[in-house]
Amino acid sequence: MLKTSSFKKEVTKQNFRSVGWIGIVYLAGLLFALPLKLMMEVSSDRPLGEYFYQRGLFQVNFEIQQLLMIVLPVLLAVFLFRYLHMKESSDFIHSLPLKRKELYHINIWNGLVILVSPILITTLIIAIITVSYDLSGIYEWSDLWYWAGGTLSYTLLLFFSTVFVGMLTGMSAVQGVLTYIMLLFPAGITVLFYFVLDQFLYGFSTNYYMDSSIEMLSPLSDSLNLFNGSLPAIRFIIYTSIAVFFYGLAWVIYKHRKLEMAGQAIVYNGLRPLFKYGLTFCMMLVGGLYFQSQPAGWVIFGYVVGSLVGYTVAEMVLQKTWRVFGKWKGYLGFSVVTFLVFFMLEIDVTGYEKAIPEAGNVERVFIGEGSYTYKNKNEMMMSEAGYLTSAENIEAIRNLHQQIVETGPPDDHANRKRNIFLAYEEKDQGSVIREYIISEDQLQSALKPIYESEEYKQLKYPVLHVDSEDIENIRFYVPGKEDENIVITNAEKIASLVKQLKQDLDEETFDKRYPLIGDQGEISFSLSDGTEFHVPIKRSYDRFNDWLQEQQMYEDIILTADDISKAVIMYGEGDEGTIYNRFEKAAASSDHVWTITDPEKVEMLLNRSGNDNQGSYFVALYYKGGYPEMIYSVPEDFVSRIIK
């Protein structure tokens, strides 16, 4: 017994001699990141917390804290169990009069002391600082316990994850790399899988699923939420529980580990195919993702090259040699299976693309330009999005959906392209989510009944269901006229303007929803409850414009030729990049440049649709006030009428 105890002490001494420096670095890093920074804040003349976005200890040098808690526990676990990966060391350590169970727990407890002690010491020092100084501008006691719990749970998770992986591999370098891969894998493979579905399934909403707190699938990405304190404390308990699970599982694996497997990348034969084909699959998806914005041929090229690289690297690691180029039997099998899976996705064997819910099963439909507003309901009032519940509109959206599926994606030169997001919420609590890029010109007949419906206009223009008595003021924002600063606070004028504007909005047709070049600026309505919403200023609002004329405000609000110093028209080829980049390129190389100052021709430009952005000619209108110019593309036939 005494002999065994002395060996335990010697192993412990050796551990602290060889890896104790990691605990010292951890403590020094935490002290530098937190107590030292806090004392600097105390001694500073500036207000406490001035440079912190929110209160909380993770706000203080978060990058340093995150680096320490994610890197040092992994290093410690790798060094503590390095003897398993070196044949001579493994034979020597296991020849000692100590059972595997004793060896395992000595290393584990030594590691816990090295990692946990710096956290406890730092917590104690911060507690003393908290008692001595008023740092409520930076953090409170609850923030200290949140910091201690978060740091401890992540430290334990990274440590025991690395210990677990170390039992599966016989190489220390592979142990460290596989630990991070394992922790990132759930989130990473999910992202790659979503992008593959987006490529093969028309209507799949990558943005919707990517916005679904995907960072929660990986502790490493989830750690970013520590910064603003949005990571719930229950997650600390979950991560600590996972750490305990890895602690027990690692011991079970260690009991049955063959010592002669030291030096092998994967020590269990049953896991080798998983490693090989898993790496091949992931690299294939990465290759396809790299070329996702290119034509289909490049995407296929990316899949092939990515899978070849993944398979080759996996074989080299497993065989510990680069001479693996004659072993392609496994890759051929992988290729056949992958081809069949992709082929089934391409022909849509599940019927995903054509699946449209029956009208009788739909309770309501959300329509908007993206998934963000759908998931953030409080943003709906600020955007052209919301729920439609009438039977007529549900059927109209189903008809639109059917036409989108039949028409397919618009080509690159289609006019008035935009994003549309549809979310059917069914009576059985299910939902059907779709997202498309459409050309409004190609789908006018299907869009018209929706956009002209009273229910949709109530979503698009909140002013339609607001009582004028609840409006505190109306403010006008017009580029080039910011100096006017026109605000209406008179209740009678507000009621009169709102009445006229509501009639214009009620009568607005689908064709009139597109703004003209001269339709610049917006009307801002501020309500007594603090809510604010906006309506664009349009020349097509006849009653609104008549009201402005009566109030002698028209010239102050509506953009006219008098507000434009000149218009420059030039020819430019190509359709790559933003319109501003294309304009600058054309300005540098075009010999066909015309300057327009005639008020009548400028007015013609202002009355031109500014939504289609079609044509090889650019027009730039310059404000007299020196504000940034407006740039649009226009067709040749329109230009010929201006410059003749």
Side-chain angles (χ1 to χ4, degrees):
M1 182 70 180
L2 291 174
K3 184 178 180 181
T4 301
S5 176
S6 64
F7 276 107
K8 290 181 180 179
K9 291 180 181 178
E10 288 302 317
V11 171
T12 298
K13 288 180 181 179
Q14 181 59 33
N15 281 340
F16 277 93
R17 287 195 194 103
S18 59
V19 297
W21 63 270
I22 293 180
I24 297 174
V25 171
Y26 201 6
L27 177 60
L30 290 178
L31 294 178
F32 174 81
L34 284 165
L36 181 61
K37 181 64 175 178
L38 293 176
M39 293 307 299
M40 290 170 61
E41 284 292 311
V42 170
S43 61
S44 174
D45 294 332
R46 62 174 177 263
L48 286 176
E50 179 181 348
Y51 290 98
F52 299 104
Y53 177 68
Q54 292 177 335
R55 289 191 305 180
L57 287 170
F58 282 112
Q59 294 275 324
V60 184
N61 287 324
F62 176 71
E63 296 81 3
I64 297 176
Q65 295 188 57
Q66 188 182 39
L67 183 67
L68 292 172
M69 74 172 73
I70 287 179
V71 173
L72 293 185
V74 173
L75 282 178
L76 179 61
V78 168
F79 288 141
L80 276 175
F81 289 91
R82 182 170 171 75
Y83 67 88
L84 289 174
H85 306 149
M86 303 173 67
K87 186 171 180 8
E88 295 80 4
S89 298
S90 178
D91 292 341
F92 172 74
I93 293 295
H94 289 97
S95 67
L96 298 175
L98 293 173
K99 297 179 180 180
R100 286 196 184 189
K101 181 178 181 180
E102 293 173 317
L103 274 174
Y104 179 74
H105 287 99
I106 288 173
N107 288 319
I108 290 296
W109 289 111
N110 290 168
L112 290 178
V113 170
I114 292 172
L115 289 176
V116 175
S117 296
I119 299 174
L120 296 178
I121 294 172
T122 304
T123 302
L124 178 61
I125 293 175
I126 296 176
I128 295 173
I129 295 175
T130 306
V131 173
S132 305
Y133 302 96
D134 179 15
L135 294 174
S136 58
I138 302 175
Y139 70 96
E140 296 182 355
W141 281 104
S142 59
D143 298 313
L144 175 58
W145 310 135
Y146 181 85
W147 175 85
T151 305
L152 182 62
S153 64
Y154 265 92
T155 299
L156 294 177
L157 177 63
L158 268 294
F159 176 69
F160 283 112
S161 296
T162 311
V163 172
F164 164 70
V165 173
M167 302 305 160
L168 302 177
T169 180
M171 300 172 66
S172 297
V174 174
Q175 179 186 6
V177 172
L178 284 184
T179 298
Y180 290 115
I181 291 177
M182 180 185 72
L183 294 175
L184 286 170
F185 182 79
I189 194 65
T190 301
V191 170
L192 293 173
F193 184 64
Y194 285 159
F195 277 109
V196 169
L197 292 181
D198 183 59
Q199 290 171 346
F200 284 95
L201 297 179
Y202 184 49
F204 182 80
S205 178
T206 304
N207 294 327
Y208 171 77
Y209 294 102
M210 290 283 285
D211 290 343
S212 300
S213 301
I214 200 168
E215 72 275 1
M216 292 173 54
L217 297 177
S218 168
L220 297 183
S221 57
D222 205 17
S223 67
L224 297 173
N225 292 319
L226 289 169
F227 177 72
N228 56 14
S230 62
L231 190 66
I234 186 65
R235 208 82 56 81
F236 300 161
I237 299 175
I238 294 174
Y239 289 153
T240 304
S241 301
I242 295 175
V244 173
F245 173 75
F246 280 146
Y247 161 75
L249 186 59
W251 160 237
V252 172
I253 297 174
Y254 184 36
K255 283 196 302 184
H256 302 286
R257 179 187 171 102
K258 295 180 180 180
L259 300 182
E260 63 270 19
M261 298 303 289
Q264 298 295 319
I266 304 295
V267 300
Y268 293 96
N269 291 331
L271 294 177
R272 291 190 171 198
L274 179 63
F275 171 77
K276 178 165 62 175
Y277 294 112
L279 181 59
T280 304
F281 180 70
C282 290
M283 289 299 295
M284 179 191 69
L285 297 184
V286 170
L289 177 61
Y290 181 80
F291 293 99
Q292 65 164 330
S293 60
Q294 302 300 320
W298 280 107
V299 176
I300 295 173
F301 172 79
Y303 284 138
V304 173
V305 172
S307 61
L308 283 171
V309 171
Y311 186 85
T312 303
V313 170
E315 282 286 8
M316 287 180 178
V317 172
L318 292 174
Q319 304 299 330
K320 296 195 296 183
T321 177
W322 60 270
R323 298 177 179 179
V324 296
F325 297 103
K327 301 179 180 181
W328 298 107
K329 184 177 179 181
Y331 180 77
L332 292 176
F334 172 84
S335 300
V336 170
V337 173
T338 303
F339 173 78
L340 291 175
V341 172
F342 282 179
F343 178 74
M344 288 188 290
L345 286 173
E346 180 65 25
I347 64 176
D348 191 22
V349 292
T350 63
Y352 177 91
E353 295 182 351
K354 297 180 180 179
I356 301 175
E358 294 295 330
N361 297 331
V362 178
E363 184 173 345
R364 59 180 184 172
V365 184
F366 178 90
I367 182 172
E369 293 192 354
S371 61
Y372 177 79
T373 312
Y374 177 63
K375 293 189 171 186
N376 297 271
K377 305 298 192 292
N378 58 322
E379 300 287 337
M380 288 185 188
M381 197 170 187
M382 304 299 294
S383 63
E384 188 177 331
Y387 289 100
L388 300 177
T389 58
S390 69
E392 295 80 6
N393 272 327
I394 290 176
E395 187 58 41
I397 288 181
R398 291 184 69 254
N399 177 58
L400 169 65
H401 192 170
Q402 184 66 44
Q403 288 199 32
I404 292 174
V405 172
E406 293 174 355
T407 304
D411 59 51
D412 293 338
H413 301 288
N415 197 14
R416 293 195 175 101
K417 289 196 296 186
R418 54 161 290 198
N419 207 66
I420 187 168
F421 178 85
L422 303 175
Y424 298 88
E425 295 188 358
E426 300 176 309
K427 295 177 180 178
D428 62 357
Q429 306 302 312
S431 62
V432 175
I433 309 295
R434 296 291 186 272
E435 188 170 5
Y436 304 94
I437 294 177
I438 65 171
S439 168
E440 291 194 345
D441 282 2
Q442 296 176 359
L443 298 168
Q444 284 192 43
S445 60
L447 291 168
K448 184 179 177 69
I450 300 172
Y451 287 175
E452 291 185 356
S453 68
E454 180 181 354
E455 187 179 25
Y456 182 83
K457 287 182 178 179
Q458 293 280 334
L459 298 177
K460 183 178 180 181
Y461 302 119
V463 69
L464 290 174
H465 53 77
V466 171
D467 194 321
S468 60
E469 295 179 356
D470 297 327
I471 300 175
E472 284 192 344
N473 64 71
I474 300 175
R475 189 181 300 269
F476 299 89
Y477 297 95
V478 184
K481 295 176 178 286
E482 282 90 340
D483 295 338
E484 304 293 338
N485 194 26
I486 301 174
V487 182
I488 299 176
T489 57
N490 182 276
E492 291 184 4
K493 287 187 176 182
I494 290 176
S496 176
L497 185 151
V498 169
K499 178 181 178 181
Q500 303 302 321
L501 185 59
K502 283 184 176 181
Q503 292 186 53
D504 284 327
L505 297 176
D506 282 331
E507 297 172 2
E508 185 178 45
T509 62
F510 178 76
D511 295 333
K512 294 294 185 182
R513 68 188 299 270
Y514 303 116
L516 304 176
I517 292 178
D519 290 341
Q520 301 293 321
E522 62 184 11
I523 313 168
S524 175
F525 297 86
S526 299
L527 275 58
S528 54
D529 63 359
T531 304
E532 185 173 323
F533 54 84
H534 310 272
V535 173
I537 296 174
K538 290 185 180 180
R539 295 170 173 231
S540 60
Y541 296 158
D542 295 331
R543 292 182 176 82
F544 169 70
N545 286 300
D546 289 342
W547 186 89
L548 292 179
Q549 294 279 13
E550 293 174 4
Q551 302 295 323
Q552 298 183 349
M553 298 169 59
Y554 185 87
E555 301 294 332
D556 297 327
I557 294 174
I558 304 299
L559 193 68
T560 66
D562 292 336
D563 301 305
I564 304 298
S565 63
K566 65 179 179 179
V568 176
I569 299 175
M570 65 183 65
Y571 176 77
E573 296 180 341
D575 56 0
E576 296 181 358
T578 66
I579 192 169
Y580 289 94
N581 292 335
R582 292 161 57 198
F583 176 80
E584 290 179 0
K585 182 179 179 181
S589 60
S590 180
D591 296 328
H592 306 286
V593 180
W594 298 270
T595 300
I596 308 298
T597 57
D598 184 349
E600 291 186 4
K601 293 183 176 181
V602 171
E603 196 66 32
M604 287 176 63
L605 289 169
L606 293 176
N607 285 307
R608 161 77 187 173
S609 173
N611 190 256
D612 50 17
N613 278 334
Q614 296 294 302
S616 299
Y617 286 84
F618 297 100
V619 57
L621 289 92
Y622 294 83
Y623 295 104
K624 286 184 176 178
Y627 295 94
E629 67 274 11
M630 300 179 287
I631 301 176
Y632 297 89
S633 58
V634 292
E636 184 176 358
D637 60 338
F638 179 75
V639 172
S640 63
R641 299 200 306 270
I642 296 292
I643 63 176
K644 66 180 180 179

